[in-house]
């Protein structure tokens, strides 16, 4: 179907094309979540690595490769995961894919072929994730998230659950220690976890938590990517599957595209193993922290009724507002929020903001049920001055709604 016009982006429930539509919608200031600082891409380091790769590449390097990915990148990813995520894996266990999006599509396909009909997802949780899973014919029943992460007691016994435990999307909650232990018991009794290691590298005010994959590898299918560390345009990610699903995932990848392009894989492997990617990540953290602080200060000044969530890590903040009827719901007021009681839909606020030139995501897009209104505000891709101006414009939009 044709992409929606700017005026209709928020007037109807989001469809399959919604993210393409909002990405191309014109705006003076883009505070969309999940967008890294694309101006920071390490072009010089990438070009150096590219020259080194081409200078030593044998002719067979231009041929069809292993659908699992090049040995060089699989080895580099295994080392990266050991250093940063506490995961011990052999290179042969790593499957290179076209970002987390393809990882979810392939995982969903393989699970569906194995007789799985539904995957529990977090509530609130990523609309994009649900779309990819539903495209494979899977149902996505919601499981509530609170201040300690997903409520494990509400997961289906011996079921499958897709989780973002390191930095829950969109709330930013880290799965607490007691919940992690409870989740491991659930998995050991027959549950399967699909771990989307969302934003795990971007942390500012808290120490890293190990990936679930490091604790129970035979019951966790792990997915990660470089989309937020380098750029989404690279379309490069990885999957570590439990032994029982590994061959099926490789076969699904083989018949999807014969494998990712080999040349960018070799360049990325060199960046990882040379230390250039780690240096780049350290620089990003300093920049992102300053921009996050600027956004928090602007919210305090221009949106005093908003409550900020997820400030310790990631590339976005979630703000919520107390409401008598969040988005037309009869949900409880004060569900983790405070301040002036609001009576508006977050889609209305996002629409007014876009009309004023500021692009954001409404929280309701990432809910399957009712709840208080909120906005997802990305800060990684905008300088502090634009962030301050954008949040001030949101304050004006909120006052317009009355």
């Amino acid at each position: 179907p044709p992409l929606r016009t700017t005026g209709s982006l928020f007037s109807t429930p989001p469809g399959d094309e919604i993210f393409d539509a909002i990405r191309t919608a014109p705006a003076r200031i883009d505070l969309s979540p999940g967008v890294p600082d694309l101006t920071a891409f390490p072009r010089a380091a990438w070009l150096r690595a590219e020259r080194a790769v081409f200078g030593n590449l044998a002719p067979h390097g231009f041929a069809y490769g292993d659908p699992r990915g090049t040995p060089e990148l699989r080895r580099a990813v295994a080392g990266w995961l050991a250093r940063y995520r506490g995961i011990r894996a052999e290179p042969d266990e790593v499957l290179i894919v076209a970002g987390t999006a393809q990882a979810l599509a392939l995982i969903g396909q393989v699970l569906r072929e194995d007789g799985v009909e539904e995957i529990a997802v977090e509530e609130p949780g990523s609309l994009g994730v649900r779309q990819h899973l539903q495209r494979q014919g899977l149902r996505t029943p919601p499981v509530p998230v609170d201040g300690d992460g997903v409520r494990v007691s509400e997961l289906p016994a011996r079921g499958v659950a897709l989780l973002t435990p390191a930095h829950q999307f969109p709330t930013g909650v880290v799965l607490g220690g007691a919940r992690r232990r409870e989740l491991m018991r659930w998995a050991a009794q027959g549950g399967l976890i699909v771990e989307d290691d969302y934003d795990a590298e971007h942390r500012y005010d808290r120490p890293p938590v190990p990936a679930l994959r490091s604790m129970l590898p035979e019951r966790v299918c792990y997915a990660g990517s470089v989309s937020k560390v380098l750029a989404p345009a690279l379309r490069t990610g990885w999957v570590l599957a439990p032994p029982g699903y590994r061959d099926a995932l490789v076969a699904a990848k083989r018949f999807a595209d014969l494998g990712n392009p080999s040349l960018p894989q070799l360049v990325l492997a060199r960046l990882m193993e040379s230390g250039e990617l780690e240096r780049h990540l350290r620089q990003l953290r300093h920049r992102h922290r300053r921009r996050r602080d600027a956004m928090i200060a602007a919210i305090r000044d221009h949106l005093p009724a908003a409550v900020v969530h997820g400030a310790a890590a990631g590339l976005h903040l979630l703000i919520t507002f107390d409401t008598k009827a969040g988005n037309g719901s009869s949900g409880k007021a004060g569900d983790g929020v405070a301040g002036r009681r609001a009576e508006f839909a977050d889609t209305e606020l996002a629409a007014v903001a876009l009309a004023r030139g500021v692009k954001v995501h409404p929280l309701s897009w990432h809910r399957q049920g009712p709840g208080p209104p909120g906005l997802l505000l990305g800060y990684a891709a905008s300088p502090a001055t634009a962030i301050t101006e954008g949040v001030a414009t949101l304050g004006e939009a909120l006052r317009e709604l009355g």
Side-chain angles (χ1 to χ4, degrees):
L3 297 183
R4 304 173 188 217
T5 63
T6 298
S8 66
L9 275 174
F10 304 105
S11 61
T12 58
D16 291 347
E17 83 290 351
I18 190 63
F19 294 113
D20 295 326
I22 197 166
R23 272 193 290 266
T24 57
R28 185 177 77 259
I29 298 171
D30 189 352
L31 300 182
S32 299
V35 181
D37 184 0
L38 301 179
T39 67
F41 186 87
R43 299 185 187 213
W46 184 273
L47 286 172
R48 286 195 299 271
E50 197 170 63
R51 284 194 294 269
V53 165
F54 276 95
N56 295 291
L57 191 63
H60 66 78
F62 294 96
Y64 290 106
D66 190 326
R68 297 175 298 171
T70 66
E72 291 85 351
L73 184 55
R74 285 187 280 126
R75 182 175 61 246
V77 167
W80 178 269
L81 294 177
R83 293 192 300 274
Y84 276 94
R85 306 302 298 126
I87 296 173
R88 300 295 175 182
E90 295 299 320
D92 282 349
E93 298 177 59
V94 177
L95 172 64
I96 303 301
V97 293
T100 303
Q102 188 183 45
L104 295 176
L106 295 177
I107 291 168
Q109 174 187 334
V110 166
L111 290 175
R112 191 74 183 87
E113 291 170 352
D114 194 41
V116 174
E117 296 183 348
E118 66 178 33
I119 298 183
V121 297
E122 297 161 325
E123 172 72 357
S126 169
L127 168 62
V129 164
R130 294 201 309 273
Q131 289 177 332
H132 282 288
L133 297 176
Q134 290 167 358
R135 191 73 174 175
Q136 300 303 321
L138 293 160
R139 298 189 299 274
T140 55
V143 178
V145 169
D146 59 26
D148 290 318
V150 69
R151 294 179 187 169
V152 178
S153 61
E154 299 190 34
L155 290 174
R158 303 184 66 83
V160 183
L162 191 145
L163 307 176
T164 52
H167 182 252
Q168 199 275 331
F169 182 91
T171 67
V173 169
V174 176
L175 190 66
R179 290 279 174 86
R180 292 170 73 89
R181 291 188 291 274
E182 186 182 0
L183 184 63
M184 290 301 99
R185 290 193 294 271
W186 174 84
Q189 293 167 3
L192 178 68
I193 300 164
V194 179
E195 180 178 15
D196 179 357
D197 208 17
Y198 181 81
D199 276 356
E201 299 91 352
H202 300 289
R203 57 185 185 276
Y204 316 112
D205 303 326
R206 68 182 184 216
V209 293
L212 297 178
R213 171 76 189 196
S214 68
M215 303 169 67
L216 197 65
E218 66 273 17
R219 302 305 304 168
V220 177
C221 189
Y222 175 93
S225 82
V226 295
S227 291
K228 306 300 189 296
V229 176
L230 282 171
L234 294 177
R235 308 310 309 132
T236 303
W238 43 81
V239 175
L240 302 180
Y245 288 105
R246 197 170 296 149
D247 289 346
L249 274 171
V250 171
K253 174 63 175 175
R254 176 185 297 113
F255 290 109
D257 53 23
L258 295 182
N260 278 32
S262 295
L263 301 181
Q265 291 185 63
L266 297 173
V267 177
L268 178 57
R270 191 170 184 91
L271 283 182
M272 283 181 156
E273 294 192 324
S274 68
E276 289 281 4
L277 190 58
E278 293 181 47
R279 284 189 285 275
H280 173 67
L281 183 56
R282 286 195 297 270
Q283 293 170 357
L284 283 183
R285 284 177 180 154
H286 290 302
R287 182 180 299 194
H288 291 164
R289 183 182 289 112
R290 291 194 299 270
R291 292 178 176 183
R292 178 208 61 179
D293 292 346
M295 179 170 277
I296 291 173
I299 291 169
R300 183 178 59 242
D301 292 342
H302 300 287
L303 292 167
V307 176
V308 175
H309 309 261
L315 302 179
H316 77 272
L317 299 177
L318 168 64
I319 60 172
T320 53
F321 303 88
D322 194 13
T323 178
K324 293 179 182 177
N327 294 333
S329 79
S330 58
K332 295 180 180 179
D335 180 17
V337 298
R340 179 176 66 84
R341 294 173 74 87
E343 296 185 33
F344 62 88
D346 52 23
T347 49
E348 295 175 333
L349 181 53
V352 174
L354 186 57
R356 291 173 174 264
V358 177
K359 196 185 303 187
V360 298
H361 283 199
L363 172 59
S364 59
W365 277 3
H366 301 283
R367 286 189 185 277
Q368 297 190 67
L375 297 176
L376 280 64
L377 309 178
Y379 54 77
S382 300
T385 53
I387 289 171
T388 301
E389 181 185 349
V391 174
T393 302
L394 290 175
E396 296 169 359
L398 184 59
R399 287 191 292 275
E400 181 179 325
L401 289 175

